[in-house]
Amino acid sequence: MRACIQRVSRATVTVDGQIVGTIGRGFVVLLGVGQDDTEEDAVKLAEKTIGLRIFEDSAGKMNLALADVGGSVLVVSQFTLFADCRKGRRPSFVGAAAPEKAQALYEYFVNYIKTKGIPVATGRFREHMLVELVNDGPVTIWLDSKEL
């Protein structure tokens, strides 16, 4: 699984003109699921995500995690994180999981974070979404469960 994590002051996801997910301070997680990913990958990635200490403490150092600042997570499915652009100009997405598997692991990731007491909002799987966010910092982190 791959995640592009952005520290935000606020974020919203809209589908068909209606807001379906919104958060204040926290993370936007663009989440991609690969063909070989498992629930173990989802747990590793979720634990690393919620444990990231990338909020500033009183001394201005990135030293606080989501729970420390009362943050939330907005998770948006993003199969394009598995784009292979090595050949030609049109990306290949053969590394992305099939939709049924991807949705199951996406939901597993979301539910795992919820069990840790972190508020979670989501987009809608397999829908065209408009994601608006204010990247705070900017701080953007890339994680791949196969590298953890």
Side-chain angles (χ1 to χ4, degrees), residues 121-143:
T122 64
R124 286 203 187 136
F125 196 85
R126 295 187 81 182
E127 295 282 342
H128 181 88
M129 295 173 274
L130 300 176
V131 180
E132 297 180 66
L133 59 95
V134 177
N135 190 322
D136 179 20
V139 174
T140 302
I141 306 286
W142 171 263
L143 295 177

Side-chain angles (χ1 to χ4, degrees), residues 2 5 9 17 40-41 48 54-55 65 73 80 82 90 93 97 99-100 102-103 108 111 128-130 138:
R2 293 178 178 168
I5 301 166
S9 57
E40 183 179 316
D41 290 294
K48 182 61 86 169
I54 59 174
F55 292 96
V73 179
T80 59
F82 279 88
R90 184 176 178 187
F93 300 104
E100 298 77 23
Q103 184 170 5
Y108 191 88
N111 289 326
H128 181 88
M129 295 173 274
L130 300 176

Side-chain angles (χ1 to χ4, degrees), residues 49-65:
T49 298
I50 63 176
L52 286 174
R53 297 181 345 180
I54 59 174
F55 292 96
E56 294 177 356
D57 63 15
S58 59
K61 289 190 159 209
M62 281 199 245
N63 201 27
L64 303 175

